[in-house]
Amino acid sequence: MTSDLYREQLLDHYHNPNNYGVLEGADVDVEWDNPTCGDKIHLTAKLDAEGRVAEVMFEGHGCVVSMASSSMFTERVIGKTPEEVAAMSLDDIQEMLGGIRLSMGRVRCALLPLNALKRGMDAS
Amino acid sequence: MTSDLYREQLLDHYHNPNNYGVLEGADVDVEWDNPTCGDKIHLTAKLDAEGRVAEVMFEGHGCVVSMASSSMFTERVIGKTPEEVAAMSLDDIQEMLGGIRLSMGRVRCALLPLNALKRGMDAS
Amino acid sequence: MALDVQAIRQDFPIFQREVHGKRLVFLDSAASSQKPQAVIDAMTRIYTHSYANVHRGLYTLADEATTAYEDARGKLARFINAADTAEVILLRNATEGLNLVAYSWGEQNVGAGDRIIITEMEHHANLVPWQQLAQRQGAELAYIPVTEAGELDLDVLPGLLADGRTKVVACSLMSNVVGTLPPVTRVAEMAHAAGAIVVMDGAQAVPHQPVDVQTLGADFMAFSGHKMCGPGIGVLWGRRELLEAMPPFLYGGDMIRTVKKTYAQWNDLPHKFEAGTPPIAEVVGLGAAADYLSALGMDAIHAHEREMTAYALERLAEVDGLHVIGPGADRRGGVAAFWMEAAHPHDIASIVDAEGVCIRAGHHCAQPLHECFNLPATARASFYIYNDEADVDALIAALHKVNRLLQR
Amino acid sequence: MALDVQAIRQDFPIFQREVHGKRLVFLDSAASSQKPQAVIDAMTRIYTHSYANVHRGLYTLADEATTAYEDARGKLARFINAADTAEVILLRNATEGLNLVAYSWGEQNVGAGDRIIITEMEHHANLVPWQQLAQRQGAELAYIPVTEAGELDLDVLPGLLADGRTKVVACSLMSNVVGTLPPVTRVAEMAHAAGAIVVMDGAQAVPHQPVDVQTLGADFMAFSGHKMCGPGIGVLWGRRELLEAMPPFLYGGDMIRTVKKTYAQWNDLPHKFEAGTPPIAEVVGLGAAADYLSALGMDAIHAHEREMTAYALERLAEVDGLHVIGPGADRRGGVAAFWMEAAHPHDIASIVDAEGVCIRAGHHCAQPLHECFNLPATARASFYIYNDEADVDALIAALHKVNRLLQR
Ligand SMILES: Cc1ncc(COP(=O)(O)O)c(C=O)c1O
Ligand SMILES: Cc1ncc(COP(=O)(O)O)c(C=O)c1O
């Protein structure tokens, strides 16, 4: 389990995250954190005419799981409707991370970008 | 232990208590109970000129332990000063009852007359 | 499927001991039940294999302990058919659960001039918290009376509910003294129609019969692990909407989301109500107890106890000068409280103990109920999965001995 | 007498297991300690031999259980040198003990305009109850600051105490993060001179060093059984006069003397504060834990942990980019919290877990303290009787691996 978490693919995302930064003129702009461990994310997204996710960027700091999850998430959600985002679950995130089973202590880390986007889309 | 409690001597006191009744013109007149089990005693006593216990009677209802203890107690305390009564302890009562060791659930029953008299002498 | 009591007794190591050289006849499960080996083993296994503090650890041991702890919560949720595992709060005992509701929900929702309704047959755990809440808030405490037969007299309830001032009705699912099984679902319907919530004390019911919180009509229900083959812990179930609207009760670790120097934000359910380190192995043990009882079948357990109770009431009637209080066997759970003309309850308990028979004597934490019967105390025998007719026979023989010793 | 760690480890069955094929290196005893066989056996023995509900039973089993339960209370009283066994209240955890004081003593004695003083290094259990009490009562909550070195800055205390408005000072005997051992006796003297009472959080001290409540200067002290080789229960000690003057906290069975429909009278100490069925076997287990620790000797335990801590701080300094927070080894108990430039605390804990090393990551229920250091979270290693230098070596090797994986 532990070794799964620190295998090459996740470490690559952690050290060289995709879509790192802040979108100008974003439709969704949300900050979200896990106070238990201090993981923090600032997530911005643009939606297309039908409300689908068109572009996402994130900034933040946290553990390998939360940062790699955020990096991969910015690609995974492209094209999804708000309903599809709302329907995404831990299972989807675990599959996205390469089919790992997260320990209970790591679930919140992995869910950081999803929870942030759900919250941001609710508010927008 | 149980058999000790129900041996002839205690049962005799239970069935034929000594000094059962109420003293007229008593110096100490006190009612006392164990709400946990409903043991109840009405204890009356006369003191002599020096304040020693001269005569004691009791009335009440309760289990073999509380009633036999009360019956034996009315004789055991004769001649004691208030200080001597105040100094009496569970050990004295256990010895009075024939040297038995009471289980924790029975301690309050056995102490009923002593606690009543202590309280009554405090108040008088 | 009838219970195989001989096989069940093999599961409980304590039945290998004797008392005063006699076979152990344990008839005090209403106070606390014995524990099967499976429960003891589940706890030992945590301590010998997977112990660590829960919820905050990222290492394997902590993950195993947390998983075992939360799995047990899930088992308990299924045991009472809770719609949502987060509605199951793990506490010290049933008493703490009822206090939690009286403090947290009560102080927020019961004010001066409001009414709290309880019954005369409540255990002190479902009585004193409401009595003290009423005093603190200046509310009225009203009692549903108990009839001579030991049943609730529901005739007064419509009148009490009519003015809409009643905020809560608290009622036991089964009396721990007279064994009465009140018509709680009807009580709940009436209470809800009048805008009150319903708090049920399941301490004597959950261990002995199927309980489904989704059809029961309760808003809260508390019960005890130690009365259902588990260790000394308790459970509070409550409806999510109510639990979410309530302030926390105890404050500390695990129940917070964020703590700043000047304020704090609360964690999600169920953690909001579980401050500090919980009894981890004990919760796992209670999960194992739920498994054990479920495997026997709660319906089978209930049927077995009804049979035992009917047999016991029949045989108790043979004992000279003995009077059982409460309703007939068809209307009660597996307890029989009684008094004897010739003997104080203390003496009954002590004398039958010499024969290896364990029964309780006292007011059984139900003084107001005893006052209804004008008795300060009773003796009480109660039945569970490991009791059979031979246990009742041993009790009856011992009670005859009580009469021989003390009748005159 | 130095501890024989190899022999001690034999007493703890969990050390027979491996984690990820590696030797188990358990460095999280500050969260909860492992349990020796003697403690597990003491609990099993109750369940297999002498189990019954306590205090209210007259039969042999109940007497044996009650005697074992009350004997354990006596052991705990002696362990902290309480003058009076009735001053030892057995609760769910340390958190419940601190809440009990904040509710029962606090609501009676702290009013609008009064002041409560705590410190910035408190665990949430000794912080949130006071913060919420202050909010409920309209009182002021003041903090003794923590310096960069992780010590209390007592300079502010005379000023805070000067106006006589302070009713209570609450302080930990040892920080669970920085390990600091504050000068509590001096704090207590100052507080008492100003007319305040002193509540001490002994959760991290009582398991690790001799604690004598008669010389400590505390009016109340709470601690946890599960951090001192016992099961998941807690203890509150308080001075008799204060406990007697306080109203009960939880209401129900055992804590009453009489219950009438309209009022209730309370039982004597300690029962007044122990409502409902207690965790019987667990209390007996904690008594066995006190025996186990006493046999090792609390002075020897303390000395062992000082050595371990000094060695650990020395070796931690070798790890590139690692920073320990808190004072030097001579001024702290057996915990070391740290952060690493290259790794988030979560990742540190996960990566060292793969090497069999158990450490904790997070805010350790001390968010305000972490704010002092401007860190949201740290990793923490803590030491107990079963740890030795080889455990520290394993930690250091694993931390080098963290750097190898995550440094770039
Ligand atoms: C300093 C301190 N106080 C209080 C507590 C709370 O203890 P418990 O979780 O047993 O209530 C802890 C441990 O978590 C602690 O380290
Ligand atoms: C009906 C009823 N309610 C509540 C309780 C209290 O349970 P506990 O002591 O586990 O809190 C009991 C048992 O003592 C009971 O019989």
Side-chain angles (χ1 to χ4, degrees):
Chain A
M1 175 181 69
T2 312
S3 44
D4 278 357
L5 281 181
Y6 298 96
R7 67 177 195 286
E8 228 32 69
Q9 188 202 7
L10 294 194
L11 287 179
D12 273 355
H13 277 278
Y14 175 69
H15 287 306
N16 306 300
N18 296 330
N19 303 306
Y20 196 86
V22 178
L23 280 174
E24 297 286 315
D27 303 302
V28 174
D29 188 327
V30 61
E31 301 203 9
W32 192 244
D33 68 342
N34 287 333
T36 325
C37 51
D39 289 349
K40 239 191 188 111
I41 191 177
H42 177 196
L43 193 137
T44 43
K46 287 189 185 169
L47 309 180
D48 68 14
E50 287 89 46
R52 288 175 211 268
V53 179
E55 208 180 337
V56 187
M57 291 191 84
F58 85 102
E59 235 180 40
H61 58 258
C63 63
V64 169
V65 176
S66 63
M67 292 299 107
S69 178
S70 298
S71 169
M72 295 164 92
F73 185 77
T74 58
E75 309 202 312
R76 175 63 60 111
V77 290
I78 300 300
K80 289 205 191 291
T81 63
E83 295 72 35
E84 285 168 342
V85 171
M88 283 182 81
S89 69
L90 176 62
D91 284 347
D92 299 311
I93 298 294
Q94 293 193 131
E95 187 253 301
M96 173 188 89
L97 291 170
I100 57 181
R101 187 197 77 85
L102 289 159
S103 69
M104 297 188 90
R106 278 316 188 64
V107 163
R108 280 198 188 185
C109 309
L111 288 177
L112 188 68
L114 175 59
N115 285 337
L117 185 60
K118 282 183 179 177
R119 173 110 170 176
M121 289 180 102
D122 277 354
S124 78
Chain B
M1 178 178 68
T2 313
S3 43
D4 279 357
L5 281 181
Y6 298 96
R7 69 176 192 288
E8 228 34 67
Q9 190 203 3
L10 294 194
L11 287 179
D12 272 355
H13 277 279
Y14 175 67
H15 287 305
N16 305 300
N18 296 330
N19 303 307
Y20 196 83
V22 178
L23 277 175
E24 297 287 315
D27 302 302
V28 174
D29 188 326
V30 60
E31 300 202 10
W32 193 245
D33 69 341
N34 286 335
T36 325
C37 50
D39 289 348
K40 239 193 189 110
I41 191 176
H42 177 197
L43 192 136
T44 43
K46 287 190 188 169
L47 310 180
D48 69 13
E50 286 88 47
R52 290 175 209 270
V53 179
E55 209 179 335
V56 188
M57 292 190 85
F58 85 101
E59 235 179 42
H61 58 257
C63 62
V64 169
V65 176
S66 63
M67 292 299 108
S69 178
S70 298
S71 169
M72 296 165 92
F73 185 76
T74 57
E75 310 201 312
R76 175 61 61 111
V77 290
I78 299 300
K80 288 205 191 291
T81 63
E83 295 71 37
E84 285 168 341
V85 171
M88 284 181 81
S89 69
L90 176 61
D91 285 346
D92 298 311
I93 298 294
Q94 293 193 133
E95 186 253 301
M96 174 188 87
L97 291 169
I100 57 180
R101 187 196 78 85
L102 290 160
S103 69
M104 299 189 91
R106 277 317 188 65
V107 164
R108 279 198 188 185
C109 309
L111 288 177
L112 188 67
L114 175 59
N115 285 338
L117 184 60
K118 282 183 180 176
R119 174 110 169 174
M121 289 180 103
D122 278 355
S124 76
Chain C
M1 260 271 308
L3 296 189
D4 180 349
V5 173
Q6 287 316 314
I8 291 172
R9 229 184 291 223
Q10 297 294 321
D11 295 337
F12 289 74
I14 203 163
F15 290 115
Q16 272 150 43
R17 84 164 265 181
E18 296 191 330
V19 172
H20 305 301
K22 305 275 164 60
R23 182 171 79 80
L24 173 62
V25 176
F26 189 75
L27 296 175
D28 194 25
S29 298
S32 199
S33 77
Q34 298 300 338
K35 320 302 171 202
Q37 193 65 47
V39 168
I40 301 169
D41 287 348
M43 296 190 280
T44 301
R45 196 181 145 73
I46 290 290
Y47 287 134
T48 57
H49 203 77
S50 298
Y51 186 78
N53 211 330
V54 292
H55 295 143
R56 290 162 291 182
L58 293 163
Y59 51 89
T60 304
L61 237 52
D63 190 47
E64 288 176 6
T66 306
T67 302
Y69 180 82
E70 292 299 336
D71 279 356
R73 191 196 305 277
K75 288 176 185 186
L76 292 166
R78 284 191 297 281
F79 192 69
I80 56 169
N81 197 32
D84 184 340
T85 303
E87 294 176 335
V88 172
I89 322 268
L90 300 162
L91 299 168
R92 172 181 168 88
N93 48 29
T95 302
E96 187 179 17
L98 295 164
N99 275 275
L100 192 162
V101 179
Y103 272 105
S104 174
W105 186 91
E107 297 202 343
Q108 201 174 46
N109 292 283
V110 178
D114 289 342
R115 187 185 295 110
I116 298 165
I117 301 179
I118 64 176
T119 88
E120 285 180 348
M121 67 170 66
E122 295 314 304
H123 186 280
H124 295 161
N126 200 28
L127 190 161
V128 190
W130 302 114
Q131 182 192 72
Q132 299 298 313
L133 173 69
Q135 272 178 28
R136 285 198 303 279
Q137 306 295 96
E140 178 195 325
L141 182 69
Y143 285 84
I144 301 177
V146 168
T147 66
E148 264 177 55
E151 309 260 12
L152 290 188
D153 177 5
L154 288 189
D155 290 354
V156 304
L157 194 52
L160 282 171
L161 291 169
D163 62 9
R165 290 196 288 122
T166 302
K167 288 292 157 65
V168 51
V169 178
C171 178
S172 174
L173 286 174
M174 171 179 148
S175 159
N176 66 318
V177 180
V178 281
T180 310
L181 302 160
V184 285
T185 312
R186 231 178 84 219
V187 170
E189 278 166 16
M190 293 164 74
H192 285 146
I197 68 146
V198 177
V199 179
M200 293 193 192
D201 174 356
Q204 293 297 338
V206 174
H208 302 287
Q209 61 190 57
V211 170
D212 179 339
V213 291
Q214 293 189 63
T215 58
L216 194 59
D219 297 291
F220 294 99
M221 182 185 73
F223 60 102
S224 302
H226 64 91
K227 294 189 205 279
M228 53 179 275
C229 297
I233 53 174
V235 181
L236 175 68
W237 167 87
R239 282 204 296 115
R240 186 185 256 282
E241 314 86 84
L242 293 172
L243 290 170
E244 283 194 336
M246 280 154 62
F249 178 43
L250 300 183
Y251 303 97
D254 253 22
M255 56 70 67
I256 55 96
R257 177 174 151 83
T258 313
V259 175
K260 302 282 175 192
K261 281 168 72 175
T262 53
Y263 70 91
Q265 289 172 328
W266 315 129
N267 200 344
D268 298 330
L269 291 176
H271 311 293
K272 183 170 95 174
F273 293 107
E274 293 180 4
T277 304
I280 299 159
E282 288 68 31
V283 167
V284 173
L286 185 53
D291 282 346
Y292 181 82
L293 294 175
S294 299
L296 295 179
M298 293 308 296
D299 280 313
I301 291 172
H302 191 49
H304 171 72
E305 292 180 18
R306 287 192 95 96
E307 268 174 49
M308 286 288 302
T309 308
Y311 180 69
L313 293 190
E314 204 181 291
R315 298 269 352 245
L316 284 166
E318 293 169 14
V319 181
D320 197 29
L322 184 151
H323 306 271
V324 175
I325 60 173
D330 55 327
R331 305 178 62 80
R332 71 156 81 202
V335 314
F338 58 88
W339 59 280
M340 291 173 77
E341 291 164 16
H344 186 283
H346 275 189
D347 294 321
I348 304 174
S350 286
I351 294 169
V352 305
D353 177 52
E355 309 300 310
V357 178
C358 308
I359 64 172
R360 195 148 285 247
H363 53 54
H364 318 298
C365 300
Q367 282 191 329
L369 177 62
H370 276 80
E371 249 171 53
C372 297
F373 291 96
N374 231 318
L375 295 166
T378 52
R380 181 187 72 184
S382 55
F383 311 111
Y384 208 18
I385 49 178
Y386 34 64
N387 296 123
D388 60 9
E389 300 195 345
D391 291 347
V392 176
D393 296 341
L395 169 66
I396 302 298
L399 292 172
H400 285 306
K401 191 180 152 202
V402 172
N403 271 337
R404 277 200 303 282
L405 261 175
L406 298 184
Q407 253 177 353
R408 50 182 326 207
Chain D
M1 263 269 308
L3 296 188
D4 179 350
V5 172
Q6 287 316 315
I8 290 172
R9 228 184 291 224
Q10 295 295 321
D11 295 337
F12 288 74
I14 203 162
F15 290 114
Q16 273 150 41
R17 85 165 265 180
E18 296 190 329
V19 171
H20 305 299
K22 305 274 165 59
R23 183 171 77 81
L24 172 63
V25 176
F26 189 76
L27 296 175
D28 193 25
S29 299
S32 200
S33 76
Q34 298 299 339
K35 320 302 170 201
Q37 193 65 47
V39 168
I40 301 169
D41 287 347
M43 295 191 280
T44 302
R45 195 180 146 74
I46 290 289
Y47 287 133
T48 56
H49 202 77
S50 298
Y51 185 78
N53 211 329
V54 291
H55 294 144
R56 288 162 293 182
L58 294 162
Y59 51 88
T60 304
L61 238 54
D63 191 47
E64 288 176 8
T66 307
T67 303
Y69 180 82
E70 292 299 335
D71 280 356
R73 192 197 304 278
K75 289 176 185 183
L76 293 165
R78 284 192 296 282
F79 193 69
I80 57 170
N81 197 32
D84 184 340
T85 304
E87 293 177 336
V88 173
I89 321 267
L90 300 162
L91 299 167
R92 174 181 167 87
N93 48 29
T95 301
E96 188 180 17
L98 295 163
N99 276 275
L100 192 164
V101 178
Y103 273 106
S104 173
W105 186 91
E107 298 203 343
Q108 201 174 47
N109 292 283
V110 178
D114 288 341
R115 187 184 296 110
I116 298 166
I117 301 179
I118 63 176
T119 88
E120 284 180 349
M121 68 169 65
E122 296 313 304
H123 186 280
H124 295 162
N126 200 28
L127 190 161
V128 190
W130 302 114
Q131 182 191 72
Q132 299 298 313
L133 174 69
Q135 271 179 28
R136 284 198 303 280
Q137 307 295 95
E140 179 196 327
L141 182 68
Y143 285 83
I144 301 176
V146 168
T147 65
E148 264 177 58
E151 309 260 12
L152 290 189
D153 177 5
L154 288 190
D155 290 354
V156 305
L157 194 51
L160 281 171
L161 290 169
D163 62 9
R165 289 197 289 122
T166 301
K167 287 292 156 67
V168 50
V169 179
C171 178
S172 174
L173 286 174
M174 170 179 150
S175 158
N176 66 319
V177 180
V178 281
T180 309
L181 303 159
V184 284
T185 311
R186 230 178 85 220
V187 170
E189 276 164 17
M190 295 165 73
H192 284 147
I197 69 148
V198 177
V199 179
M200 295 194 190
D201 175 356
Q204 293 296 339
V206 173
H208 301 288
Q209 61 190 57
V211 170
D212 179 339
V213 291
Q214 292 189 62
T215 57
L216 194 59
D219 297 290
F220 295 98
M221 182 185 73
F223 60 101
S224 301
H226 64 92
K227 293 189 205 278
M228 53 179 275
C229 298
I233 53 175
V235 181
L236 175 69
W237 167 86
R239 283 203 296 114
R240 186 185 256 280
E241 314 84 84
L242 292 172
L243 291 170
E244 284 195 335
M246 281 155 61
F249 177 43
L250 300 183
Y251 303 97
D254 253 24
M255 55 72 67
I256 55 95
R257 177 175 151 81
T258 311
V259 175
K260 302 283 176 190
K261 282 168 70 175
T262 52
Y263 70 91
Q265 290 173 326
W266 315 129
N267 200 345
D268 298 330
L269 291 176
H271 311 294
K272 183 170 97 174
F273 292 108
E274 294 180 3
T277 304
I280 298 160
E282 288 68 29
V283 167
V284 173
L286 184 51
D291 282 347
Y292 182 82
L293 294 174
S294 298
L296 295 178
M298 294 309 298
D299 280 313
I301 292 172
H302 191 50
H304 171 73
E305 291 179 19
R306 288 193 93 96
E307 268 174 47
M308 287 286 302
T309 308
Y311 181 70
L313 293 190
E314 203 182 292
R315 299 269 351 245
L316 284 166
E318 294 168 15
V319 180
D320 196 30
L322 184 150
H323 306 271
V324 175
I325 60 172
D330 55 328
R331 306 178 61 80
R332 72 156 82 202
V335 315
F338 57 89
W339 60 280
M340 291 174 76
E341 290 164 16
H344 186 283
H346 275 187
D347 295 320
I348 304 174
S350 287
I351 294 168
V352 305
D353 176 54
E355 309 300 310
V357 178
C358 308
I359 64 171
R360 195 148 285 247
H363 53 55
H364 318 299
C365 299
Q367 281 190 330
L369 177 62
H370 276 81
E371 248 171 55
C372 297
F373 292 95
N374 231 321
L375 295 165
T378 51
R380 181 188 71 183
S382 55
F383 311 111
Y384 207 19
I385 50 177
Y386 33 64
N387 296 123
D388 60 10
E389 299 194 346
D391 291 346
V392 176
D393 295 341
L395 169 67
I396 302 299
L399 291 171
H400 286 307
K401 192 181 151 200
V402 171
N403 271 338
R404 278 199 304 281
L405 260 176
L406 298 184
Q407 254 176 352
R408 51 182 324 208

